[in-house]
Structures are given as C-alpha cells and as structure tokens.
Amino acid sequence: MATDWTDRIRLRNLRFLLSLAQTRNLSHSATVLNTTQPALSKWLRDLETDIGLTLFERHARGLTPTEHGWVLIEHARRVEAQLNRAVDDMALLREGGAGRVVVGASGAAASETAPRAILAMAQLMPELRIDLVEGTMDRLLTQLAQGDLDLVIGRTAQKTIDHTLIRSELLYTEPVVLVARPGHPLFGHEEIGWDDVLRYRWIVWPRQTPVRNALEAALANAGRVLPSNYIESNSVIANVTLLNHSDIIGTASYRTTLMLNRMKLLRILPVDLKGFGSVSMYWRRDEIFPRSIECALDCMREAAREYDDTYDDTFD
C-alpha cells in the first residue's frame, strides 16, 4: 500500500504552505522561513507530486494558489488555529483554570444579549475563562470555522454558510428603530414625521448591514432619501457617544435600545421604520463537544428569551 502523503507533512510544512499563500513568492517565503528558495521549491514540487494535484500556478511575478491549493490552505489554517488554541488552553490549565470558551459577537448582540449570556455562564461555571471578541459577522464566522472561536452570535448571516462545518440557530427577530438622546428637541413635539427627523444630521451603519437595509427601505417607502451629510460608523460605542452628545439621529436594534434607554443614554423616536432584523448563533459541528459549549449555547438561548414578553407587549 502506498504511503499516504499526509505522513510526510510536518508542522513546519504547514508554515511553508501558509507563507506561500501569503507572499505568493518563493524567494520571499524562503527568507521568512529561514530556508533556501531551491529547498522550498523542491518541497512544493514533491508535495504536489505526492498529492497528484497542482497547488500553485507558477508565473513570472510569483505564485497563485489553484482551486485545489486553496482547499489545502484552508485546512492548514484550521490546523494552525487549533494548535495555537491548544497552546493557550494548556497554559490556562497549568495556571489552574478550568478551560476556556471564546465567544464572538457582532454589534447587534455585543452590547446586550451576549454580555447577559456571559454573566450567566460565569455564574454556572465560575472556574471557566470566557473571552468575548467583537467584530463583523463575515470575520467572526471565518474565525469560527478556523477554530479561533467556539460560538458566534450576531445578525443572521446573509451569505451561504457551509452547514457541513457550522451549525446555526435563529434566536430572535426584532424591529429596527430610530433613536436620539433623551433631551433631543424632537421629544418636545406632539407628533414626529419624516420632515422633522430629516432636518438633523444622521449616523448610520455601513451599507449592506441589516440595520442600514431596513433604514433605506423605510426611506424609499416614504419617498425620502438619507441626508447627504450623514456619518457612517460600525462602532456601537462611538455611535452611542455621538448620539448622546449631539442632536444627531441614529438607527439601532430594539433590544440594544431598551438597554440604553434604561441607562438614560438613548430614547426611541416614534417613527415607524417597518424594518426587522434577526439574530442567530453559530457553532462548529465538532465531534468533541465540551460541556462548556453546551452551557454557553443554553445561556445564549435563555438570554434571547428574556425579552420576548417585552417585545410582544410593545409591538403587537
């Protein structure tokens, strides 16, 4: 029986492959990896011969990964991420910890649902270390697939998810609302219409985000357009600060606004956007599924259910 080509793969070889994917140049990678260009070229040629597939197209300006090459590169990235995670986990265990869960959250969940779920996790598993990483959904889902994250919560992904690698569960759907600081002049009006809110500068989320899509659909339905002097930002903290210290108008998810309203930072403007967004959680289809991840999923579900009654009473 022929020797499997994976028998000859070593950790150093994974670094070779990932470096070539990054630099697209044998000479540059050889310098970074402290080897010679002929040795690196021979290694790549031997690997392609063993696999029976071309991994990189050679041309005068360097290398370009083939379709087959990208598949192997993604596997190498996941292996590297898992090894890095193992190093961190072993260090934590040496220090007397009881393991770690890494949660990724997008802006829609990072300011409200995810923190409450993490508090519940901390209470149920007091020895567990919990890391929270905030980012955009595309980046978070990539990190989840690679093994850098254990769980992601945020806006339901619009792009197709590889369900052979990742599982998902819809947690809740909520309205998108217009918001302003509690002392905003508009709250002195008996009625507030589009003409009123469009007199002010706006702060909006980036294009193609669910909140922005809901806003643009509502404006189009009303025959209006966004003021040309708007501010675009994807930072929850920056948006809250800008809104709280000015007469700027903004958009936000309903649950986040409820929390900020209790803190007397923002209020909902009574202008109907007729827009909704959904929040989901994502996790890997791993054969090894620690109790800590099961607990984290349950805590996310419970945090999502906590506002159901409030939502129904307000928007029936």
Side-chain angles (χ1 to χ4, degrees):
M1 180 178 178
T3 302
D4 193 305
W5 63 269
T6 58
D7 291 342
R8 291 202 270 171
I9 290 287
R10 300 292 182 266
L11 295 182
R12 180 170 169 79
N13 300 147
L14 294 180
R15 298 189 185 100
F16 287 177
L17 185 65
L18 293 175
S19 178
L20 290 174
Q22 181 178 15
T23 68
R24 311 290 180 89
N25 186 285
L26 282 165
S27 179
H28 292 170
S29 284
T31 301
V32 170
L33 297 166
N34 195 28
T35 187
T36 65
Q37 181 174 336
L40 187 58
S41 180
K42 181 180 184 304
W43 169 81
L44 177 58
R45 190 167 55 252
D46 289 346
L47 177 63
E48 290 178 321
T49 299
D50 287 345
I51 298 176
L53 295 170
T54 301
L55 302 177
F56 289 87
E57 294 289 348
R58 281 77 163 170
H59 48 79
R61 290 176 294 177
L63 305 172
T64 301
T66 64
E67 182 180 351
H68 310 120
W70 278 122
V71 172
L72 187 58
I73 288 164
E74 288 305 314
H75 282 296
R77 285 173 175 165
R78 284 194 288 272
V79 172
E80 183 184 49
Q82 290 288 356
L83 288 172
N84 291 338
R85 175 68 183 273
V87 170
D88 291 340
D89 287 349
M90 292 304 101
L92 180 64
L93 292 170
R94 281 198 307 272
E95 295 168 1
R100 178 174 64 139
V101 171
V102 187
V103 178
S106 73
S111 58
E112 195 272 327
T113 305
R116 288 191 295 106
I118 287 172
L119 288 174
M121 290 164 57
Q123 184 174 9
L124 290 172
M125 297 178 289
E127 301 301 320
L128 182 73
R129 173 175 153 183
I130 306 167
D131 295 351
L132 176 62
V133 178
E134 184 175 357
T136 57
M137 285 302 293
D138 56 347
R139 178 59 181 158
L140 293 173
L141 290 173
T142 297
Q143 291 177 295
L144 176 66
Q146 292 176 352
D148 295 321
L149 303 175
D150 295 309
L151 169 66
V152 168
I153 177 173
R155 288 294 179 200
T156 301
Q158 300 300 312
K159 296 182 180 179
T160 302
I161 301 298
D162 185 351
H163 292 287
T164 62
L165 296 175
I166 295 176
R167 298 185 63 186
S168 64
E169 180 179 323
L170 177 67
L171 291 177
Y172 58 86
T173 300
E174 62 178 346
V176 174
V177 294
L178 290 183
V179 296
R181 65 181 178 88
H184 197 286
L186 284 177
F187 290 115
H189 293 203
E190 290 186 8
E191 294 184 359
I192 302 175
W194 283 110
D195 288 337
D196 300 310
V197 295
L198 289 173
R199 292 193 183 99
Y200 295 88
R201 186 188 292 268
W202 285 50
I203 184 166
V204 296
W205 289 85
R207 292 182 184 277
Q208 303 309 315
T209 57
V211 175
R212 178 69 173 271
N213 291 341
L215 171 63
E216 291 182 344
L219 286 168
N221 186 60
R224 308 302 178 96
V225 295
L226 198 63
S228 60
N229 63 342
Y230 66 82
I231 299 168
E232 186 172 287
S233 166
N234 66 351
S235 169
V236 174
I237 294 177
N239 291 358
V240 171
T241 301
L242 287 166
L243 288 163
N244 197 243
H245 291 83
S246 72
D247 287 338
I248 291 175
I249 304 296
T251 51
S253 62
Y254 174 66
R255 294 187 185 214
T256 296
T257 305
L258 282 184
M259 181 267 294
L260 295 171
N261 183 61
R262 289 196 300 270
M263 299 170 67
K264 302 187 184 303
L265 294 175
L266 294 179
R267 285 181 60 188
I268 296 175
L269 288 163
V271 178
D272 188 7
L273 283 185
K274 299 186 183 301
F276 287 78
S278 61
V279 169
S280 297
M281 63 179 177
Y282 302 84
W283 64 100
R284 288 187 307 281
R285 290 182 176 271
D286 289 344
E287 293 182 5
I288 301 174
F289 204 64
R291 175 182 171 276
S292 57
I293 305 301
E294 288 279 11
C295 177
L297 295 174
D298 287 340
C299 288
M300 290 293 173
R301 294 182 182 107
E302 184 60 32
R305 284 193 294 264
E306 211 166 283
Y307 275 92
D308 283 350
D309 292 341
T310 306
Y311 170 86
D312 291 339
D313 291 344
T314 307
F315 288 92
D316 273 350

